[in-house]
């Protein structure tokens, strides 16, 4: 024992968030807020409120923005090891989703996305969430105008886990409780925003929960709340409960495995090139 306390381990920076990456993420998030919330944000006098093709416009725009963000973040320092890690985790998340899809909203992939974002940071988290949701859509046949919205929402979920406090100091039971609470909240909010995206497709059905273009915000908000409670809450709560259970039971093991993998991969280590090895003297 040297008596000198060890320095705290640095958080691995698999994908560093530089100024360009942060700006691109902020831009796509701002556009995403408009894409999800335009039914509540559009004024009754605006053309957007009465445009039937507004959901399709955003569905076409979001993939382009997501591609810009992925390219910008990747340009900030992704090497072959980071791409391999991204591929493995995205494949694992995509494989987990069909295990619960269609069964009371149980989606175990949320658990893995939250833990991965926690260990690997917000930049890696956003890319991982979007890529994993894209891969799972191809695997389950869930390709449609809703897919870009799912990719953006899952990117937010995973990125948010990377922004949680105490990344370097918080460990053990306290960290698992924090991640479980965040996972439950993120699971419910994911269902809320995805229902807001799909709510506009039932406009004009003359029901008490359908979207009425141009109606005042309080009235449409009340209709959407009733729509979410009637159609989605029964799926969102089981998803949140499963995420909490998996985080508290398996979270410690998965976190240790992810941190061990990132330490061994040394994503943020600088390359050092040694000089030529001098020839050995002749005997």
């Amino acid at each position: 024992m040297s008596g000198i306390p060890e320095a705290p381990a640095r958080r691995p920076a698999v994908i560093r968030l530089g100024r360009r990456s942060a700006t691109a993420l902020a831009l796509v998030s701002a556009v995403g807020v408009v894409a999800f919330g335009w039914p509540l944000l559009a004024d009754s006098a605006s053309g957007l409120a009465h445009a039937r093709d507004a959901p399709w416009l955003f569905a076409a725009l979001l993939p382009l923005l997501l591609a810009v963000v992925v390219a910008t973040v990747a340009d900030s320092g992704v090497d072959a090891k980071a791409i391999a890690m991204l591929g493995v985790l995205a494949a694992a998340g995509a494989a987990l989703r069909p295990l619960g899809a269609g069964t009371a909203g149980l989606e175990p992939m949320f658990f893995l996305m939250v833990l991965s974002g926690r260990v690997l940071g917000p930049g890696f988290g956003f890319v991982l969430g979007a890529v994993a949701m894209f891969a799972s859509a191809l695997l389950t046949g869930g390709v449609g105008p809703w897919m870009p919205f799912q990719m953006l929402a899952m990117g937010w979920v995973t990125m948010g886990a990377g922004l949680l406090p105490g990344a370097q100091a918080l460990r053990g039971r306290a960290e698992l409780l924090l991640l479980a609470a965040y996972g439950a909240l993120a699971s419910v909010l994911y269902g809320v925003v995805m229902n807001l995206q799909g709510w506009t497709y039932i406009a004009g059905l003359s029901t008490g929960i359908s979207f009425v273009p141009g109606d005042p915000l309080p009235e449409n908000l009340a209709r959407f709340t009733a729509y979410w409670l009637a159609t989605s809450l029964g799926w969102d709560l089981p998803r949140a409960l499963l995420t909490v259970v998996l985080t508290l039971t398996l979270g410690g093991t998965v976190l240790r495995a992810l941190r061990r993998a990132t330490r061994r991969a040394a994503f943020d280590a600088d390359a050092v090139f040694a000089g030529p090895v001098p020839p050995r003297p002749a005997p």
Side-chain angles (χ1 to χ4, degrees):
M1 297 294 292
S2 62
I4 301 176
E6 294 183 1
R10 291 191 306 160
R11 183 179 183 175
V14 180
I15 299 180
R16 297 178 178 88
L17 272 183
R19 180 176 300 178
R20 289 188 305 168
S21 302
T23 301
L25 280 173
L27 174 63
V28 76
S29 295
V31 175
V33 170
V34 177
F36 278 109
W38 71 266
L40 303 177
L41 300 174
D43 184 79
S44 59
S46 68
L48 183 62
H50 301 278
R52 293 301 185 99
D53 58 347
W56 301 95
L57 172 65
F58 288 118
L61 178 62
L62 280 178
L64 300 178
L65 293 173
L66 288 169
V68 171
V69 170
V70 171
T72 304
V73 173
D75 188 52
S76 302
V78 177
D79 58 11
K81 293 178 291 185
I83 293 176
M85 176 73 79
L86 177 66
V88 169
L89 291 176
L96 285 174
R97 192 181 183 203
L99 297 181
T103 308
L106 301 176
E107 295 184 69
M109 75 175 297
F110 277 76
F111 145 77
L112 179 61
M113 295 297 103
V114 169
L115 298 186
S116 300
R118 171 65 170 180
V119 173
L120 300 168
F124 188 95
F126 183 87
V127 177
L128 172 62
V131 172
M133 188 58 72
F134 175 76
S136 69
L138 297 180
L139 183 63
T140 60
V143 178
W146 55 84
M147 187 181 68
F149 294 90
Q150 290 178 327
M151 293 170 61
L152 180 60
M154 185 57 75
W156 282 342
V157 168
T158 318
M159 180 178 68
L163 295 173
L164 291 175
Q168 297 184 17
L170 191 62
R171 293 292 185 270
R173 193 69 176 176
E175 183 180 33
L176 292 180
L177 290 174
L178 173 65
L179 293 176
Y182 172 79
L185 178 62
S187 298
V188 173
L189 291 180
Y190 175 88
V192 172
V193 297
M194 286 308 303
N195 274 273
L196 185 57
Q197 177 269 328
W199 180 48
T200 58
Y201 294 112
I202 67 169
L205 296 183
S206 300
T207 67
I209 60 175
S210 61
F211 170 58
V212 179
D215 258 22
L217 173 62
E219 296 182 15
N220 263 332
L221 186 59
R223 291 192 188 96
F224 172 70
T225 303
Y227 170 78
W228 172 65
L229 292 174
T231 63
S232 181
L233 185 61
W235 294 73
D236 298 339
L237 291 182
R239 182 192 304 122
L241 179 61
L242 178 63
T243 303
V244 169
V245 171
L246 291 178
T247 301
L248 295 179
T249 55
L250 303 177
T253 303
V254 175
L255 286 173
R256 286 191 295 271
L258 288 172
R259 285 173 174 141
R260 187 183 308 114
T262 53
R263 284 196 302 270
R264 291 183 176 179
F267 292 107
D268 55 349
D270 297 326
V272 177
F273 298 95
V277 178
R280 298 178 61 182

